[in-house]
Amino acid sequence: MRAVIFSDEKKLDNLDIDNNLPDEKGIVLSVIASGICGTDLHIIEGEGNLCGNVILGHEFYGSIDKIEAGSKVQCLNGNVEVGDFVTVVPGIICNECTYCNSLPLNENYCLNRSVFGLNMRDAKSNIVYGGNMEQIFIPEKFYLYKVPKSWPLGLATLLEPVSVAVKTVKRTLKYVENIKNRSLTAVIFGLGTLGFFIGTKLRKCGVKVIGIDPEKSRRDRALRNGIEDVFSYEEMTEEFYKKYCKNSWNGIEADMVFEAVGKPDVFAYALHFARKGGVVMEVGNFLFSGNAEISPNLICNRELIIVGSVLADANSYFEAEEILEEFVDKSSEVICNYEVDEYEQAFRSALSRTEGLKSNLIF
Ligand SMILES: [Zn+2]
Ligand SMILES: [Zn+2]
């Protein structure tokens, strides 16, 4: 079967590999599409320390080929049978570590999370495997989520990243006090997949949102999809922002500021955009990308609340599905499909990070 492998020599390759699926309990999935995530790109660029051959991919969905006899299949939104389309919540907790024991609702805290495309190893070949392959075995402990068959090809790879956006917004809103006589406001730094869908979710919550991104195509897309205002970094100086708040937001800076770029300097800059008592959410620096110089005085005097968020929770898939329903008739706004033979182009387009579209490999 076909698989796109990130090899030991740090090169991507499209190979035919043996199809030796294990005889354990679980399901066999024929992968339809697998999305290329920012995390995958960081790995390809040498961050994170994965060694050996890796089949990347944690944002995939497919059609169920086989349910091994006696498997307890766990699907979040109904029962499944052979032929159904499902995506997989790519990480699962160990249920044994101290975090799992004491904070069971925070599934992303688990010390031994198994994640497809990051640390799930095939027992026979010892290869780390994920969704960038034609057929994948999903052990029964993983949660499935049923995907509407009527959705356009590739759209469902976004269920995972949109769940991350949903969870990020929910976590941020927990820290915002009730306000009176006006709508909540937010600034998002970075309008890639994550920033874009944070904006979509905020808009659904009635929040007024502005986005900041250097790429015009990303800014235009955000505008077309309901973000109130967009700016480049050149336009959005601190002085300009003050004026903007005065004219549009009753003179008060944003209740929430999201750093979804993944650059330390942007985080330091973003602190200046929150109102007194406002929340600054760091969600972009999932992998280490350096340090930033920040002013403790600013945090103290303005009583800033600084919060981080990483990964999604299984609960957020339901809201992610609702959000993606909006894009069923305009999926080209959010995804771009490539045949598996065009994998180099798919990764190149993802690496260029200009469009902000999710690049999918189609199997
Ligand atoms: Zn991802
Ligand atoms: Zn655990």
Side-chain angles (χ1 to χ4, degrees), residues 27 73-76 80 86-88 138 142-146:
I27 66 162
V73 178
Q74 310 183 77
C75 180
L76 294 167
V80 289
V86 293
T87 188
V88 181
I138 313 292
F142 282 87
Y143 287 102
L144 307 177
Y145 191 90
K146 239 174 164 170

Side-chain angles (χ1 to χ4, degrees), residues 337-352:
N337 294 330
Y338 295 87
E339 292 300 319
V340 62
D341 289 335
E342 304 168 317
Y343 73 97
E344 283 177 308
Q345 211 184 325
F347 275 91
R348 218 179 302 129
S349 132
L351 276 166
S352 77

Side-chain angles (χ1 to χ4, degrees), residues 47-100:
E47 293 168 38
N49 33 18
L50 283 181
C51 27
N53 293 329
V54 181
I55 300 174
L56 294 167
H58 55 268
E59 304 171 354
F60 56 93
Y61 77 100
S63 153
I64 298 180
D65 270 354
K66 190 177 172 197
I67 300 175
E68 299 296 343
S71 302
K72 274 196 223 95
V73 178
Q74 310 183 77
C75 180
L76 294 167
N77 56 343
N79 297 321
V80 289
E81 51 189 60
V82 169
D84 280 344
F85 287 7
V86 293
T87 188
V88 181
V89 179
I92 189 76
I93 59 171
C94 73
N95 256 325
E96 285 168 3
C97 70
T98 29
Y99 272 108
C100 284

Side-chain angles (χ1 to χ4, degrees), residues 40-199:
D40 302 335
L41 301 176
H42 285 294
I43 291 170
I44 288 172
E45 287 169 334
E47 293 168 38
N49 33 18
L50 283 181
C51 27
N53 293 329
V54 181
I55 300 174
L56 294 167
H58 55 268
E59 304 171 354
F60 56 93
Y61 77 100
S63 153
I64 298 180
D65 270 354
K66 190 177 172 197
I67 300 175
E68 299 296 343
S71 302
K72 274 196 223 95
V73 178
Q74 310 183 77
C75 180
L76 294 167
N77 56 343
N79 297 321
V80 289
E81 51 189 60
V82 169
D84 280 344
F85 287 7
V86 293
T87 188
V88 181
V89 179
I92 189 76
I93 59 171
C94 73
N95 256 325
E96 285 168 3
C97 70
T98 29
Y99 272 108
C100 284
N101 276 320
S102 58
L103 291 153
L105 295 179
N106 296 73
E107 47 202 89
N108 54 332
Y109 295 172
C110 169
L111 298 172
N112 314 304
R113 249 173 128 251
S114 310
V115 186
F116 284 105
L118 279 182
N119 63 9
M120 275 296 288
R121 278 187 194 277
D122 175 61
K124 286 178 199 156
S125 64
N126 204 33
I127 265 186
V128 169
Y129 73 104
N132 294 351
M133 61 204 287
E134 232 176 292
Q135 237 186 0
I136 185 168
F137 175 73
I138 313 292
E140 65 174 354
K141 65 181 177 181
F142 282 87
Y143 287 102
L144 307 177
Y145 191 90
K146 239 174 164 170
V147 171
K149 281 193 171 171
S150 56
W151 276 15
L153 179 65
L155 184 64
T157 61
L158 282 170
L159 278 164
E160 195 269 346
V162 176
S163 302
V164 174
V166 167
K167 184 238 165 188
T168 304
V169 171
K170 284 195 296 194
R171 182 162 163 77
T172 311
L173 285 170
K174 275 207 299 204
Y175 294 92
V176 182
E177 327 76 332
N178 287 330
I179 54 155
K180 281 183 180 166
N181 304 323
R182 63 176 177 87
S183 306
L184 283 171
T185 55
V187 174
I188 304 171
F189 285 88
L191 297 170
T193 299
L194 186 54
F196 175 81
F197 283 108
I198 286 174

